[in-house]
Amino acid sequence: MSLEQFKNRNVGVQNYTTLDVGVSPTTNKAKFVQFITRAVKGELFVGLWVTGKAMFKALFQGDMHTVKYPFEKMPISPRYRAIHDMLRLLESGSYRCIGCGLCEKICISNCISMDTRYDENQRKEVSEYTINFGRCIFCGYCAEVCPELAIVHGPRYENASEQRAGFSLFEDMLTPIDKLNLQQEYDGFGAISPNADENIKQTPLAY
Amino acid sequence: MSEVKTVENMVSITIDGTEYKAKEGEYILNAARANDIFVPAICYLTRCSPTLACRICLVEADGKQVYSCNTKVKEGMEVTIDTPNILEERRAIMEVYDVNHPLQCGVCDKSGECELQNYTLELGVDSQSYMIPDTKREVANWSSVLHYDPGLCIVCERCTTVCKDMIGDAAITTTKRGGADLDKAYKETMPKDAYSMWNKLQKSVIAPSNGTDETNCSDCGECVAVCPVGALVSRDFVYQSNAWDLKRVPAVAAHSSDGAQIYYEVKPTSIEDRTEKIFRITNEWSYVSLDGSARFAYDFQNTTATKDKAAFDAAIEAFKKAETVRFNAMITNEEAAMLQTLKEKMGLKLYNLEVRAFQKFLNHYEAASGNALWSTDTDAIMKKSDFVISIGAALRNDSPAMKYAFNNVQKMNKGAGLYFHPVGDTLIPTFGKNVEIFNHKVGLEEAALYLVLDLFADKEKLPSEVKDYIESFKTTETKTIKEKVEKTVKEMVLNEETGEEEEVSKKVKEMVEKEITVSTNGLIDLLGGDASKFDDVFAKMMKKKENFSMMLGEDLYYHDKAENIAKLVALVEATCPINVVMTPPKSNALGVALICELDDAPSGYTVGYNENGDFKLSALGTGDLDMPAMNQQEGTLCNIGKRLLPTNAAVEYNGYELNDLMKVLVGAPELTIDWTATLPKERGFKGIEFDALTNSFDNDGTDNRGYVLETSNVETELPEVEKCDENAVLEGDIAYRCNPARQFNDFTDKSHEIFEAFALYASVEKAESLGDKVEVVFENGSITLDVVADAKMTGDIVKVPDYRAAEGVYDLFGESRYKTVTLRKA
Amino acid sequence: MGETVVDLLPEVTWVGVLIKAVLILAIISALAGFGTFIERKVLAFMQRRLGPMHVGPYGLLQIAADGIKLFTKEDIIPQNANKFIFKIAPVITAATAFIALSAVPVFPDFTIPEFIPVLGGVFVPSIASDLNIGILFVLGMMAAGLYGPLLAGMSQANKWGIIGAARTAVQFLSYEVVTGLSILAPIMLVGSLSFVDFNNYQHDEGVWMMFYQPVAFVLFLIAGFAETNRTPFDLLEHEAEVVSGYATEYSGMRWGMFFIGEYANMITISVIASIVFMGGYNPETMLFGFSIGWLLIMLKIAFFFFLMLWVRASWPHIRPDQLMWLCWKVLMPLALINILITALVVMV
């Protein structure tokens, strides 16, 4: 909607649907009849029946909805955006991060900061990397923009802390090398779409 | 003085249906750019010769496909930038460039400023039709500052072009890389230009031109600046930062008097240390070329400075006690104005060895010519001049701008050049085949100027005694000589690089005997030239030359007969069609010379500002009170182009400034830059506030930085000049006060990417005879230096650098640049 | 009237009454606390939640935690409050609630075993004070309890408090009428105001009063909810409307006393309903040779208590005008008609 349309829109006419609530009785007789009908109808007992049934189910049929949170946790969606994880390459265990700095650039709360250097193998290496979780708004842009699927959002959402600023270093977020086999591929923001192959053009590489 | 063309001949051309004005003789590409029209081009550099490597600047002119970078505009020319055929060619070319180009844009230091990326997107390359096996290419470090990744290189040859046409070093060139041959089928199927471009690309790679792994060049880094991809990067910057993280601070290169436009690119040092650090220097390389000091000597800031109240009070006391302030050219106009104010209000003497001789020379020149400043600048020389004369400047070391201009004139304007200097330099002859070198004896600079008068002066205008004096050198005789005659033969040759048939003219030489009368010019012999050949050579040099210019160097200011030389220069300007440019010795020497009334000798208690003194103010962090370095302060500088240029603070400074001292001593405005508008109007300053100064270039290269100083022109009579004293030459071991190419002062010395040593520089043979270490004994002292062989030097003169103020080299040399010394092995 | 069991019991001494009073105070207070626990648990279950779980096994020690909290919480008295009345108001609520209980039979009679020194052999009656006007006294005391919220609301210099106080006056006074009239019919049948007589009457008749007087039973229950300020008639301190009504400015143990008073009243109403309408305790009801009358009345009381919670979990509360309409236009006329009919039946 353009601004012009927005200003000229007719606020008075909307597609409201009127709920059928019947007609309020006007005569005393009608009111009396309504009262008697409602009193005898036992609607109140329906309410009691509903809550009673719920209690019975909760107590005796295991239909209890409470999750005892610190001891039990709900499964979360793979798209959930919690504390970041830094993934490794599955085959070699090397960092996926190439130090391109896109996450640092796109971060709208300016909480990512990195230093890079020219390493002994003539490659770009991230020498320092921090995320200030006091500032991070978990928008997911970093994961989305990452060309290597190196920075992703993990499931670790319990990040309350005593101080507002909380810095996490690269190593803190990195998959431990001995847990590489447990590393989960990320399905959330920025992950490869299931039909990615269809969108790729072939390039001649026949030699 | 020559007539300055104020209105150039303009022609009308039509580009994509719209009519534009363009300078006659300009390339279509430049004409389009000047009119704000985009024509894609990768390999072309504005002030260099067309390379024809990329071929995407194809346009259609008057119905024919031409390369816009090497086709000149003609009156009424109709240009179409995009035709379907051209678009197809360009797309094919970009596809070819993308063949096997590593997809590591994420880590590439170009980080999005990549022209390959831009044009690939611009031309909509979304699929690849071509393929060829890749060749392994190893990363190389060419010098202490140059890092080359051939994998990323697209062999556009911009680096080689700028090195040859602008810098003059020609230190890099294309070589074979042994890539696979193209599939012959492509020749039929692909667009013609794309195929020939690919053919060449597939076979070449860039390498040092001297056949080794290391470039032997001035390490200016201009190749890094012009590289459109991430192939050439300064070694210190590799993988350090993305371009987008860096904040650009527009500034002026602080060290040489070029006053080149630069950007300090800053960002916080690291995650732990959030203070801003300069990561690199960039420039508007289309319009300005930097020297090594401008590009790599950037981290000279005073980091340790704090507001030390005790030191401040001591400084106030020192100023009250002092009779002299000693400083150098590394100072802004504003600070110079402050010191001048101190002189006026407190009677302090101003002592500045770097500038005093220059100032005197300027005064003599003004008295003799009526002009406060020289008539042209290096930029104008590059654009117009086709004949340059250099006198008294060690081009390679003193003034990069003059070196680039001298070289560029040879390469771009089909120019010629005369180079007068006592120290032999093997680089100068490589600038062009029409460069004539006079390695004269020390002290004969006057003779050089007389030769210029002889060669160029309108003899009618010359005073008769001068005319007679010049004629007195000339003798005539008859000789029989053998002469080479060249014949031109044309034949068709297959160009290996491009795979095209080309017509090539070959020259065949024949010997013919001839009898001629030869007039011999004694001046030429005096200056060490070959008088018998010079006439022919000079005649060849003078062919089709219209615009002459002369570049004067520091040797002249420190000459014993500087006053006479200044008069001769005025005479040259008055009687010859020659424009003159003088190089201020260092940094802001011009500003200091215009603003300060300098004294000849110090006396009493001395306050040194970046110099020796009883109390030392220092931006190096070594003095008694810290001062901000040039990259930590706002202010203005004057350069060789007679411009006042604004520079800005790139990194933070936490100490006191000179203005704070001024506030206490004599009262001063709030900020240093409040002085900008108060600079003396009678010396050509315009009284414009600092914040109102512009700092940009136009599309056609017009310089809008700061403003040009106003030069007063007073009609004067021709000066009376003295004769040249042929016997006043120095003999024996001669020391020449001259810095290595990238060193200018203590600040360049402090910068971590400048490696040139404080040592005695000598030609290879001389260095061998001197050994490793030598004591240079002057009349008034001596200095012991390591000996470094400079392969580009010839002759016996040795160079003693002066860039460390603490070594007191200026005091040893006194008021001359050459001294007879005793060299003792130490 | 025939001889009752009570007549056969030993003499009631002042020591026994004192012990009984202390017992009522202690146990009912504890029960009030326990009541809060039960309420939270039941409400939770009805919403398929677990309720308090973390303090003690199944959250049982939550009562203790709450108690500690209430006792240690800062006692804030607003600056502009009428301090004396502000301080005394919760005491009135709590005191009237417990005083009402003194005429209600709670727990069976027993004699303290002989081996306990000093108090050994003392007979502790089921009713602290078996007044012959028991019901009248209990209802009267509960009606006097109106002063607690009323004074609290008026003394605290808070607009929500004032509204709460006004609602208190209107609601309690109105429903006192219904309570009184509804229970008048059973009284007419029994011919006594003593709870013991009610118990015995139903025992003798062999039928619970609620079947003789269903209308009175329903009216009494409804009025009882209103008297105890329970949903759907919890207008006095309805959070969504008046923050906390008369209790807005109260904190700590002063607020706690309102709380205890409310729960004590709930127990009182439950006890009255159990005795008057649901057969009371009958010591001669035997199971496997044991007298289970007291156990049964406990269950009956518990049922009524549970009913209050159940209703709270199920029903929305009503508007003040609906409350008044219900009282004066429906319940009171019904109660009068019921009395009229009962009177006719008794006369005939």
Side-chain angles (χ1 to χ4, degrees):
Chain A
M1 190 186 277
S2 72
L3 185 64
E4 199 59 30
Q5 285 173 309
F6 180 76
K7 281 182 173 164
N8 292 335
R9 76 195 192 282
N10 192 342
V11 188
V13 179
Q14 298 287 355
N15 291 327
Y16 290 125
T17 309
T18 315
L19 194 69
D20 182 19
V21 289
V23 188
S24 291
T26 46
T27 61
N28 280 337
K29 191 192 165 201
K31 281 179 182 169
F32 184 72
V33 169
Q34 189 196 40
F35 165 69
I36 292 295
T37 328
R38 286 185 178 175
V40 179
K41 214 173 173 185
E43 278 171 338
L44 291 172
F45 295 99
V46 176
L48 287 179
W49 170 246
V50 169
T51 48
K53 200 169 69 180
M55 182 172 169
F56 182 80
K57 274 187 172 176
L59 284 176
F60 305 111
Q61 293 181 349
D63 189 16
M64 191 70 83
H65 286 198
T66 302
V67 177
K68 287 183 238 169
Y69 161 64
F71 313 111
E72 294 174 17
K73 283 173 191 168
M74 305 267 283
I76 59 166
S77 157
R79 298 183 72 92
Y80 190 80
R81 303 193 298 267
I83 295 283
H84 307 70
D85 280 342
M86 288 287 175
L87 303 187
R88 288 177 187 269
L89 290 171
L90 292 173
E91 300 84 2
S92 64
S94 307
Y95 302 166
R96 286 192 187 179
C97 178
I98 54 168
C100 69
L102 287 179
C103 49
E104 184 185 17
K105 178 65 182 167
I106 203 164
C107 181
I108 49 172
S109 51
N110 251 341
C111 66
I112 300 181
S113 182
M114 64 197 289
D115 291 344
T116 53
R117 69 183 195 97
Y118 185 56
D119 79 357
E120 298 72 27
N121 306 318
Q122 300 180 334
R123 297 174 70 94
K124 193 174 193 175
E125 187 194 67
V126 178
S127 50
E128 288 276 345
Y129 190 102
T130 70
I131 301 180
N132 181 350
F133 285 115
R135 271 206 210 157
C136 181
I137 58 166
F138 300 96
C139 62
Y141 282 7
C142 49
E144 192 175 355
V145 80
C146 182
E148 301 290 319
L149 282 177
I151 183 167
V152 300
H153 281 293
R156 195 153 59 89
Y157 51 78
E158 287 154 320
N159 45 358
S161 70
E162 290 165 359
Q163 289 182 340
R164 199 196 291 191
F167 292 90
S168 208
L169 302 178
F170 192 80
E171 292 72 25
D172 303 341
M173 295 176 274
L174 191 64
T175 312
I177 190 73
D178 53 327
K179 298 209 174 117
L180 187 57
N181 54 341
L182 301 175
Q183 181 173 293
Q184 294 282 317
E185 206 44 68
Y186 182 60
D187 275 341
F189 257 171
I192 295 170
S193 61
N195 64 342
D197 286 347
E198 297 162 22
N199 297 328
I200 289 175
K201 269 192 187 172
Q202 296 289 318
T203 291
L205 281 172
Y207 51 83
Chain B
M1 260 184 84
S2 72
E3 315 249 306
V4 178
K5 285 181 190 166
T6 47
V7 182
E8 288 178 79
N9 298 326
M10 302 296 272
V11 295
S12 317
I13 56 166
T14 312
I15 301 176
D16 284 347
T18 317
E19 197 173 301
Y20 297 100
K21 292 274 171 204
K23 285 179 203 159
E24 195 181 350
E26 200 165 29
Y27 294 127
I28 297 173
L29 181 59
N30 273 341
R33 283 182 179 176
N35 286 302
D36 224 358
I37 299 162
F38 173 69
V39 178
I42 295 181
C43 70
Y44 182 70
L45 286 167
T46 312
R47 299 169 304 157
C48 298
S49 51
T51 322
L52 280 184
C54 75
R55 304 187 181 215
I56 66 165
C57 67
L58 266 180
V59 294
E60 196 176 272
D62 292 339
K64 253 170 62 187
Q65 272 189 27
V66 296
Y67 304 115
S68 65
C69 69
N70 78 338
T71 310
K72 290 183 173 170
V73 292
K74 276 185 250 157
E75 177 66 41
M77 191 181 247
E78 300 246 349
V79 178
T80 313
I81 294 171
D82 301 329
T83 67
N85 192 34
I86 287 173
L87 284 176
E88 197 191 323
E89 280 274 10
R90 287 198 195 129
R91 189 195 147 112
I93 290 169
M94 287 322 294
E95 273 186 41
V96 166
Y97 271 133
D98 290 336
V99 172
N100 293 339
H101 190 89
L103 286 173
Q104 46 174 263
C105 302
V107 297
C108 177
D109 277 316
K110 212 64 189 171
S111 50
E113 294 182 342
C114 175
E115 287 182 38
L116 180 65
Q117 216 174 53
N118 289 352
Y119 284 119
T120 300
L121 294 172
E122 168 79 22
L123 296 169
V125 178
D126 54 359
S127 63
Q128 178 62 272
S129 328
Y130 313 117
M131 62 183 171
I132 195 157
D134 205 355
T135 332
K136 182 160 173 68
R137 287 162 281 174
E138 291 291 343
V139 170
N141 287 326
W142 283 346
S143 76
S144 50
V145 292
L146 300 176
H147 174 95
Y148 178 61
D149 185 345
L152 296 169
C153 182
I154 58 171
V155 201
C156 66
E157 297 179 43
R158 268 202 210 166
C159 49
T160 60
T161 308
V162 79
C163 195
K164 188 173 92 237
D165 288 356
M166 179 55 62
I167 308 304
D169 286 352
I172 42 178
T173 185
T174 50
T175 52
K176 299 212 160 132
R177 83 168 190 219
D181 285 332
L182 295 191
D183 190 342
K184 292 288 174 232
Y186 283 135
K187 188 164 188 177
E188 276 71 53
T189 54
M190 25 190 325
K192 185 173 134 287
D193 280 301
Y195 178 78
S196 50
M197 190 284 286
W198 193 9
N199 208 347
K200 191 178 139 215
L201 169 68
Q202 186 56 26
K203 287 173 183 164
S204 345
V205 73
I206 310 292
S209 54
N210 55 9
T212 65
D213 292 337
E214 303 252 309
T215 56
N216 178 20
C217 68
S218 59
D219 279 344
C220 66
E222 200 60 18
C223 47
V224 172
V226 298
C227 185
V229 290
L232 266 166
V233 182
S234 122
R235 274 177 75 177
D236 215 49
F237 187 71
V238 179
Y239 295 158
Q240 289 301 302
S241 173
N242 282 315
W244 60 65
D245 283 331
L246 296 166
K247 188 177 76 189
R248 284 184 151 189
V249 181
V252 177
H255 309 295
S256 72
S257 58
D258 298 0
Q261 173 275 340
I262 58 168
Y263 295 111
Y264 290 112
E265 301 219 339
V266 300
K267 81 166 192 178
T269 314
S270 67
I271 286 173
E272 287 85 24
D273 183 3
R274 301 310 282 177
T275 53
E276 294 205 318
K277 173 186 151 186
I278 301 170
F279 273 71
R280 65 168 174 183
I281 300 274
T282 51
N283 59 325
E284 297 284 357
W285 42 263
S286 286
Y287 313 122
V288 64
S289 298
L290 302 186
D291 69 299
S293 70
R295 187 174 302 281
F296 296 112
Y298 52 79
D299 54 339
F300 52 84
Q301 66 270 22
N302 189 357
T303 49
T304 55
T306 53
K307 294 224 169 187
D308 182 350
K309 188 78 178 111
F312 184 77
D313 293 339
I316 296 289
E317 286 310 308
F319 267 101
K320 285 179 179 162
K321 213 165 25 169
E323 285 181 40
T324 308
V325 178
R326 181 175 174 167
F327 62 111
N328 54 30
M330 191 70 169
I331 183 170
T332 61
N333 289 330
E334 286 70 22
E335 287 179 312
M338 290 178 206
L339 294 180
Q340 176 63 18
T341 308
L342 286 185
K343 181 184 175 107
E344 284 159 13
K345 295 203 173 160
M346 293 172 69
L348 291 173
K349 283 184 176 172
L350 301 182
Y351 184 55
N352 190 329
L353 272 173
E354 281 184 11
V355 184
R356 180 59 182 148
F358 176 60
Q359 188 182 38
K360 278 192 200 165
F361 187 85
L362 273 183
N363 292 344
H364 296 318
Y365 170 74
E366 188 176 4
S369 70
N371 299 329
L373 291 171
W374 49 92
S375 53
T376 188
D377 62 74
T378 48
D379 206 36
I381 291 177
M382 276 197 251
K383 277 182 183 152
K384 292 175 199 147
S385 189
D386 45 23
F387 197 113
V388 279
I389 304 155
S390 165
I391 303 175
L395 268 194
R396 197 156 56 84
N397 309 62
D398 286 359
S399 176
M402 295 210 315
K403 174 193 167 194
Y404 299 168
F406 195 100
N407 171 60
N408 196 239
V409 164
Q410 311 308 321
K411 302 279 166 55
M412 292 299 293
N413 304 352
K414 294 183 184 129
L418 290 172
Y419 179 70
F420 297 93
H421 202 265
V423 183
D425 198 319
T426 58
L427 187 69
I428 312 292
T430 65
F431 287 172
K433 53 183 186 292
N434 286 333
V435 176
E436 203 50 30
I437 305 210
F438 291 91
N439 287 330
H440 57 80
K441 287 187 173 163
V442 176
L444 291 178
E445 282 78 4
E446 288 159 289
L449 284 162
Y450 275 115
L451 180 61
V452 171
L453 282 173
D454 178 29
L455 296 174
F456 296 97
D458 182 352
K459 298 290 188 305
E460 303 301 311
K461 286 188 191 166
L462 274 183
S464 56
E465 57 269 30
V466 176
K467 210 157 52 179
D468 293 344
Y469 178 61
I470 293 171
E471 286 306 321
S472 70
F473 284 101
K474 294 189 177 171
T475 51
T476 318
E477 54 184 306
T478 314
K479 270 186 180 174
T480 308
I481 55 153
K482 285 181 176 179
E483 197 186 40
K484 281 181 192 170
V485 173
E486 286 185 345
K487 277 188 177 176
T488 308
V489 178
K490 284 187 179 172
E491 60 180 62
M492 299 298 280
V493 172
L494 182 82
N495 186 331
E496 269 188 40
E497 285 186 338
T498 58
E500 285 174 281
E501 288 257 306
E502 280 179 3
E503 197 181 67
V504 174
S505 14
K506 271 193 174 178
K507 284 170 180 171
V508 180
K509 286 167 186 169
E510 284 178 30
M511 299 297 279
V512 177
E513 268 191 17
K514 243 185 178 181
E515 195 166 89
I516 47 164
T517 12
V518 183
S519 67
T520 316
N521 193 340
L523 275 172
I524 291 166
D525 287 328
L526 181 65
L527 288 164
D530 186 348
S532 58
K533 287 180 182 165
F534 184 75
D535 276 358
D536 292 339
V537 173
F538 186 67
K540 202 174 140 204
M541 286 170 84
M542 285 297 284
K543 258 181 216 162
K544 291 192 203 161
K545 299 296 182 288
E546 287 168 345
N547 196 314
F548 305 90
S549 40
M550 182 164 77
M551 310 194 292
L552 305 178
E554 205 181 332
D555 294 7
L556 305 184
Y557 321 145
Y558 287 93
H559 202 276
D560 289 341
K561 294 172 77 179
E563 182 173 3
N564 192 39
I565 287 176
K567 284 179 184 167
L568 276 168
V569 171
L571 193 61
V572 166
E573 274 198 288
T575 60
C576 311
I578 290 179
N579 289 314
V580 172
V581 62
M582 303 178 197
T583 180
K586 276 176 188 175
S587 193
N588 192 27
L590 177 59
V592 174
L594 291 175
I595 295 162
C596 298
E597 293 164 32
L598 300 175
D599 294 281
D600 284 324
S603 68
Y605 190 86
T606 304
V607 174
Y609 183 14
N610 293 330
E611 284 282 344
N612 292 332
D614 299 313
F615 188 91
K616 253 181 103 174
L617 307 175
S618 174
L620 294 157
T622 55
D624 300 310
L625 179 68
D626 283 316
M627 284 283 127
M630 206 65 102
N631 57 5
Q632 290 171 304
Q633 55 180 327
E634 290 181 312
T636 57
L637 301 171
C638 295
N639 75 342
I640 190 171
K642 300 175 291 176
R643 277 181 177 275
L644 175 131
L645 305 165
T647 187
N648 290 298
V651 286
E652 67 171 5
Y653 173 70
N654 299 318
Y656 289 106
E657 298 172 8
L658 191 59
N659 197 40
D660 297 323
L661 289 167
M662 291 296 290
K663 284 180 195 165
V664 178
L665 289 168
V666 291
E670 175 66 25
L671 298 170
T672 303
I673 51 167
D674 293 337
W675 291 81
T676 311
T678 70
L679 296 175
K681 292 202 177 71
E682 65 277 12
R683 304 298 295 163
F685 294 98
K686 286 187 178 169
I688 297 174
E689 292 283 343
F690 180 82
D691 290 331
L693 293 171
T694 53
N695 201 352
S696 64
F697 287 94
D698 282 349
N699 259 7
D700 61 354
T702 310
D703 191 347
N704 294 323
R705 299 184 302 140
Y707 58 79
V708 180
L709 298 173
E710 276 166 8
T711 49
S712 54
N713 285 303
V714 184
E715 283 296 318
T716 43
E717 306 221 325
L718 288 182
E720 283 184 19
V721 292
E722 290 168 28
K723 289 180 181 174
C724 165
D725 183 359
E726 294 163 36
N727 301 318
V729 295
L730 295 183
E731 297 293 346
D733 275 333
I734 298 169
Y736 178 45
R737 181 170 56 70
C738 180
N739 290 318
R742 301 196 302 164
Q743 293 280 21
F744 285 91
N745 46 42
D746 284 309
F747 298 97
T748 53
D749 193 24
K750 188 180 178 182
S751 305
H752 82 282
E753 280 193 272
I754 304 289
F755 307 96
E756 283 79 355
F758 191 82
L760 181 104
Y761 289 81
S763 60
V764 178
E765 306 87 59
K766 183 77 178 170
E768 269 172 27
S769 72
L770 287 173
D772 290 342
K773 211 165 189 177
V774 77
E775 188 186 10
V776 189
V777 183
F778 292 80
E779 294 154 17
N780 55 347
S782 74
I783 184 166
T784 306
L785 294 166
D786 293 332
V787 176
V788 172
D790 183 341
K792 290 193 176 107
M793 275 172 73
T794 57
D796 283 342
I797 299 176
V798 295
K799 289 179 177 173
V800 176
D802 61 33
Y803 62 83
R804 281 188 189 157
E807 304 278 356
V809 174
Y810 268 94
D811 295 322
L812 294 173
F813 276 93
E815 294 220 345
S816 47
R817 251 191 118 175
Y818 296 93
K819 278 277 179 195
T820 310
V821 293
T822 315
L823 296 172
R824 271 191 224 137
K825 287 193 182 181
Chain C
M1 297 271 167
E3 272 192 347
T4 62
V5 183
V6 178
D7 297 337
L8 305 172
L9 289 173
E11 194 195 350
V12 176
T13 60
W14 66 268
V15 183
V17 172
L18 200 67
I19 292 171
K20 183 70 189 180
V22 171
L23 273 178
I24 288 172
L25 210 58
I27 291 170
I28 298 298
S29 298
L31 276 181
F34 190 66
T36 63
F37 173 74
I38 290 294
E39 172 158 26
R40 289 158 71 171
K41 273 290 189 193
V42 168
L43 287 179
F45 293 152
M46 285 178 174
Q47 293 160 1
R48 301 186 196 170
R49 292 185 287 110
L50 283 170
M53 284 298 283
H54 288 288
V55 191
Y58 299 100
L60 262 174
L61 292 179
Q62 190 70 42
I63 315 157
D66 285 350
I68 293 166
K69 185 198 81 173
L70 285 177
F71 271 105
T72 53
K73 212 172 171 181
E74 188 188 356
D75 175 29
I76 297 167
I77 299 170
Q79 203 166 27
N80 294 328
N82 185 326
K83 295 197 177 48
F84 175 71
I85 295 177
F86 186 85
K87 284 176 185 169
I88 208 80
V91 180
I92 294 173
T93 301
T96 51
F98 284 111
I99 292 168
L101 274 171
S102 68
V104 178
V106 261
F107 318 119
D109 304 317
F110 65 94
T111 308
I112 295 175
E114 294 291 342
F115 58 82
I116 292 172
V118 185
L119 296 176
V122 174
F123 172 72
V124 180
S126 65
I127 303 176
S129 166
D130 184 14
L131 299 170
N132 53 1
I133 53 158
I135 289 177
L136 205 56
F137 179 79
V138 172
L139 293 180
M141 277 327 287
M142 284 181 69
L146 142 78
Y147 283 105
L150 184 64
L151 294 179
M154 290 171 74
S155 70
Q156 63 187 244
N158 179 308
K159 54 190 167 188
W160 309 119
I162 292 288
I163 296 172
R167 287 186 176 189
T168 309
V170 171
Q171 182 175 327
F172 279 12
L173 285 177
S174 305
Y175 277 84
E176 202 59 52
V177 173
V178 181
T179 324
L181 290 179
S182 64
I183 211 158
L184 194 57
I187 290 171
M188 283 157 72
L189 282 181
V190 176
S192 163
L193 291 167
S194 164
F195 286 109
V196 180
D197 291 341
F198 271 88
N199 183 53
N200 294 343
Y201 175 84
Q202 291 176 79
H203 176 63
D204 294 345
E205 293 288 317
V207 179
W208 287 356
M209 186 64 82
M210 62 184 281
F211 298 116
Y212 276 143
Q213 289 287 344
V215 176
F217 175 61
V218 171
L219 292 181
F220 181 79
L221 264 189
I222 294 172
F225 273 72
E227 286 281 294
T228 50
N229 184 28
R230 296 290 305 177
T231 318
F233 307 121
D234 57 343
L235 302 179
L236 279 60
E237 44 178 344
H238 195 256
E239 282 88 349
E241 291 166 3
V242 289
V243 183
S244 206
Y246 64 86
T248 303
E249 295 286 2
Y250 281 92
S251 62
M253 203 52 215
R254 282 186 209 285
W255 183 83
M257 278 194 266
F258 281 123
F259 212 71
I260 289 169
E262 187 185 325
Y263 278 83
N265 277 338
M266 281 164 73
I267 292 167
T268 314
I269 290 288
S270 302
V271 171
I272 295 172
S274 307
I275 293 174
V276 174
F277 292 101
M278 286 185 69
Y281 56 94
N282 190 344
E284 287 162 25
T285 311
M286 306 294 277
L287 189 71
F288 305 125
F290 294 100
S291 169
I292 57 163
W294 289 104
L295 194 64
L296 288 176
I297 197 172
M298 287 294 178
L299 285 177
K300 288 166 194 168
I301 294 168
F303 168 74
F304 279 111
F305 199 90
F306 175 73
L307 183 68
M308 290 179 179
L309 309 186
W310 194 1
V311 165
R312 181 174 173 191
S314 312
W315 295 348
H317 92 131
I318 60 172
R319 288 199 314 263
D321 66 311
Q322 289 171 331
L323 185 81
M324 288 300 102
W325 172 83
L326 185 66
C327 175
W328 296 109
K329 287 193 176 172
V330 181
L331 299 183
M332 198 200 71
L334 274 177
L336 285 175
I337 293 166
N338 188 40
I339 289 166
L340 200 68
I341 293 168
T342 310
L344 286 173
V345 170
V346 170
M347 273 169 67
V348 173

